[in-house]
Amino acid sequence: MSARDTILQRLRNRTGDQLPTPERDFTAMERPDWSTGDKLARFRSAMEPVHGEIHNCRGGDWVATLSGLLSDRRVSRMLVGSGAEPLATLRASTQELPDILVYDEPVENWQQHLFNDVDAGLTTTRGGIAETGSLILWPTAEEPRLTSLVPPIHVALLKASELFGTLREAMAAQQWSHGMPTNALLVSGPSKTADIEQTLAYGVHGPRELIVLVVE
């Protein structure tokens, strides 16, 4: 038996008293039971200072708001996931919208097109965190994470009813412990870095703009 095998065998044979699991105290993470209005206000006050843009919408009115925002920015092509929504709503709308590109094939097949020709990406969200002004993105095969990471403009749909006070509250309510994607994302603003001379720059490693449409 080699020295390595001897050490591993000793570890396997080790016995000892198992220490009890310490009591977990989460009281420091607890927050008041904020109303939806309070959560929206806190979400806005946390995200807007870091260049996140937030627009309140009513039901299907979000398409009209989206149309105006993209028109102002001269967006020609918008990337959308292949899931049923929001694709069906966009296709049924009479609003003037840019060309819609559907993410329905492996990135290897159209990598150059994705990185060079897409102006904006539209994603759904799993919810939001009021305390930190963060979006929860839950990438799937129908809505891969590159939809939000590559285009210069990221537009996210957030239901006001899916705003949580804290990250812990979201994790508990949505039962994250039962299963998560390989890449769950928390987005609190457009891409930014201060690597070069400690000067803050936006859009270096991802979207330079983040637009959140809060659907009430």
Side-chain angles (χ1 to χ4, degrees):
M1 182 180 292
S2 67
R4 175 178 177 274
D5 292 335
T6 300
I7 294 171
L8 292 176
Q9 189 59 50
R10 287 176 180 170
L11 291 174
R12 295 188 188 100
N13 294 338
R14 279 187 69 179
T15 60
D17 296 333
Q18 294 292 325
L19 295 176
T21 302
E23 291 291 332
R24 292 175 292 178
D25 183 4
F26 292 119
T27 54
M29 302 180 186
E30 294 176 357
R31 298 293 181 269
D33 187 15
W34 294 322
S35 67
T36 299
D38 289 336
K39 291 175 185 176
L40 280 170
R42 290 175 181 274
F43 181 81
R44 181 183 294 275
S45 66
M47 179 174 280
E48 286 185 338
V50 292
H51 293 207
E53 186 175 328
I54 301 171
H55 298 268
N56 293 343
C57 309
R58 292 283 182 182
D61 291 347
W62 67 265
V63 184
T65 302
L66 175 67
S67 173
L69 293 169
L70 297 184
S71 177
D72 292 343
R73 290 164 170 80
R74 302 182 183 276
V75 170
S76 299
R77 300 176 187 85
M78 179 175 66
L79 181 64
V80 183
S82 61
E85 288 293 343
L87 189 56
T89 298
L90 292 171
R91 285 176 167 170
S93 175
T94 58
Q95 296 290 331
E96 183 177 345
L97 293 168
D99 293 338
I100 296 176
L101 306 178
V102 181
Y103 202 143
D104 57 1
E105 58 182 308
V107 65
E108 293 80 8
N109 296 351
W110 64 304
Q111 184 171 342
Q112 292 298 321
H113 191 49
L114 170 64
F115 279 82
N116 298 321
D117 301 326
V118 175
D119 303 311
L122 174 66
T123 72
T124 58
T125 64
R126 176 91 167 188
I129 303 170
E131 186 175 53
T132 58
S134 304
L135 298 172
I136 304 170
L137 268 60
W138 212 255
T140 64
E142 290 75 30
E143 193 174 89
R145 62 176 182 157
L146 291 182
T147 311
S148 66
L149 297 180
V150 173
I153 301 172
H154 175 203
V155 183
L157 294 174
L158 170 64
K159 295 179 181 179
S161 60
E162 294 178 348
L163 257 178
F164 300 94
T166 65
L167 174 60
R168 177 174 176 264
E169 182 184 332
M171 294 173 66
Q174 298 180 343
Q175 299 181 321
W176 289 21
S177 60
H178 291 186
M180 295 178 62
T182 55
N183 289 280
L185 307 177
L186 297 177
V187 178
S188 301
S191 169
K192 52 187 174 292
T193 182
D195 290 346
I196 302 174
E197 297 183 350
Q198 298 184 353
T199 300
L200 186 62
Y202 288 86
V204 176
H205 304 304
R208 65 173 182 267
E209 289 188 72
L210 173 63
I211 301 172
V212 181
L213 303 182
V214 180
V215 182
E216 301 183 59

